[in-house]
Amino acid sequence: RRYPTVELRAETFNGSTHVPVPSDSAFLRALLLELRLVDEHVFLEQRDTCTRINHSCVHSVSTAAGELWPVLAFRKSGLIYACVPLVEGSLEPRPPLLTVCGLSQGLALLLGIMDYVSPSRKNEAELSAKVGQLRYLLIQACPLGTPLNTNIRSLNSSFEDIQEMPVDKEQPAWRSSTYKGKPQVHVCITEKVKCMQYDQRDVVDTWQVYGAVNCKCDIEGSAPNVTLSLTLPTNAPPLQDIVVHHCVTSVDPAMLLSTSAEPLHDSVYNGPYKFPFIPPSDSFNLCYYTSQVPVPPILGCYQLVEEGSQIKITVNLKLHESIKNSFEYCEARIPFFNRGPIAQLEYKVSYGQLDLSREKSLLVWVIGQKFPKSSEVSLTGTVSFGTPGKEHPTDYVCTGNTAYVKLYFRIPDFTLTGCYVDQHSVQIFVPGKPKITASRELISSDYYIWNSKAPAPMVYKPLLD
């Protein structure tokens, strides 16, 4: 979808540095080239030079009129989600990403579209129907180029339903309907932890925590006021990189300026984290945040060594003492790339059980819902392979002994930062006693333990100054 009003504003703001958005077909060709989906094996200086190392999904797309920047684009489940945010100012020199408001708005809108579309990815007919409805949904979500509601799933898919405007003038645009019944608020804090562990002296282990606070407020009134507070334990690391939903009416500016790009110091904002807001009708993410936690939840060591036609593997995992030992699930998956099917397997596990996938190319170590009292588990084994076939997994990064173990787990009623919502701190300025339900969870996301007996892949190494 194109917005002529936004393109006119861009031309006014950017002045002589303005680069117009090309035709749809030309933009698509340029974007596919930038994302390495065409001419992947051809070296293109403007795309592949070492001076252009992308650390985010913000791209500079080369067009006939010049470099179009910023273009927000990412791939998920075989689909490309992209938009061109407005920069309210000159593009030369390029402003810092954190100062471009349109980037966070565009990302929120794309994530809302992805959340609406992706569940139907495997059903082509359902996917086509949903994509066809996007035209009408965007009229509600983003009528003139500024996102008003990024929760696409909460919108009406019928064009006839969106002609009516709210009768109450005080009702904000993001409250598409009014609720009748007993007031209740559901809050869920979801933290995801990413981790890269190498067990090598020359490579530093890295881990990151990303949190999201999801709310569903069933409250009567056209514009109810709610205040929610996030609480941290004493001496816990502060929340950083906080991004709030547009329904939040006011926050302390220092809260939004606390960034993980700078080292922690005494002046960093450490609360209170209060969010007054007028909630949308459906569920929404009130805010996102990161935090620099001191340790990852599970420490691991993986060793894979080839001995003739066999390989020997050793995996050791240890649950950190500060982590709640109560999982909904916890398992380690050990893939074997660029090899044939597993023909012979001898193993010993100190805890849990080991399963072989149907394709015989993946070991699944099911640890279960608890670690033992020692908080340590181990797996040793010898594996030999048959003749490789086309159906077995390949990977350009994991060649030779470069391999990894990937952890999957979920810990209910726990967050790595210790962040929680005190139910008594939720304030709702409506008649009646509301029912408050609060929950939290910690989920693994891209949690890798690399083979310490092989070189760590360069793409995962931290960049040296």
Side-chain angles (χ1 to χ4, degrees), residues 310-311 341-347 356 360 382-386:
Q310 295 181 329
I311 64 170
I342 296 175
Q344 188 174 357
L345 171 64
E346 296 178 4
Y347 69 92
L356 178 62
K360 296 185 177 181
T382 305
V383 186
S384 58
F385 301 89

Side-chain angles (χ1 to χ4, degrees), residues 126-165:
E126 188 177 337
L127 176 64
S128 298
K130 283 197 170 184
V131 172
Q133 292 290 349
L134 273 179
R135 171 181 173 81
Y136 303 121
L137 295 175
L138 283 174
I139 294 176
Q140 305 171 70
C142 195
L144 295 174
T146 300
L148 300 179
N149 187 354
T150 57
N151 188 356
I152 306 299
R153 285 196 299 175
S154 69
L155 302 175
N156 296 315
S157 59
S158 171
F159 184 69
E160 289 77 12
D161 292 341
I162 65 175
Q163 301 301 321
E164 299 180 6
M165 296 297 291

Side-chain angles (χ1 to χ4, degrees), residues 228-376:
L228 183 147
S229 298
L230 299 181
T231 306
L232 292 175
T234 306
N235 298 326
L239 304 183
Q240 296 177 291
D241 305 321
I242 298 174
V243 178
V244 300
H245 192 273
H246 57 73
C247 72
V248 176
T249 53
S250 65
V251 291
D252 189 323
M255 183 193 303
L256 303 181
L257 293 175
S258 178
T259 170
S260 58
E262 300 176 359
L264 289 174
H265 48 78
D266 294 339
S267 63
V268 71
Y269 187 88
N270 54 11
Y273 303 96
K274 285 191 174 183
F275 300 90
F277 60 95
I278 300 175
S281 306
D282 212 325
S283 64
F284 69 102
N285 286 328
L286 176 67
C287 68
Y288 300 90
Y289 62 84
T290 68
S291 182
Q292 301 182 45
V293 295
V295 292
I298 299 176
L299 297 169
C301 173
Y302 178 37
Q303 295 183 347
L304 180 151
V305 180
E306 278 194 73
E307 294 185 356
S309 60
Q310 295 181 329
I311 64 170
K312 289 189 175 182
I313 61 170
T314 303
V315 184
N316 295 308
L317 302 175
K318 181 178 182 180
L319 181 69
H320 193 270
E321 59 186 10
S322 65
I323 306 304
K324 180 182 178 183
N325 190 8
S326 179
F327 294 78
E328 181 180 305
Y329 58 85
C330 181
E331 65 182 40
R333 298 184 185 180
I334 311 170
F336 297 98
F337 297 106
N338 312 310
R339 306 176 188 269
I342 296 175
Q344 188 174 357
L345 171 64
E346 296 178 4
Y347 69 92
K348 180 181 179 181
V349 291
S350 66
Y351 195 78
Q353 66 181 47
L354 190 69
D355 298 326
L356 178 62
S357 69
R358 183 185 302 175
E359 299 81 10
K360 296 185 177 181
S361 60
L362 175 71
L363 297 180
V364 181
W365 181 12
V366 180
I367 297 168
Q369 296 180 323
K370 275 186 177 295
F371 273 65
K373 287 186 178 180
S374 64
S375 298
E376 297 184 31

Side-chain angles (χ1 to χ4, degrees), residues 206-218:
T206 62
W207 57 92
Q208 298 169 306
V209 179
Y210 304 88
V213 182
N214 184 267
C215 298
K216 177 69 166 69
C217 302
D218 294 326

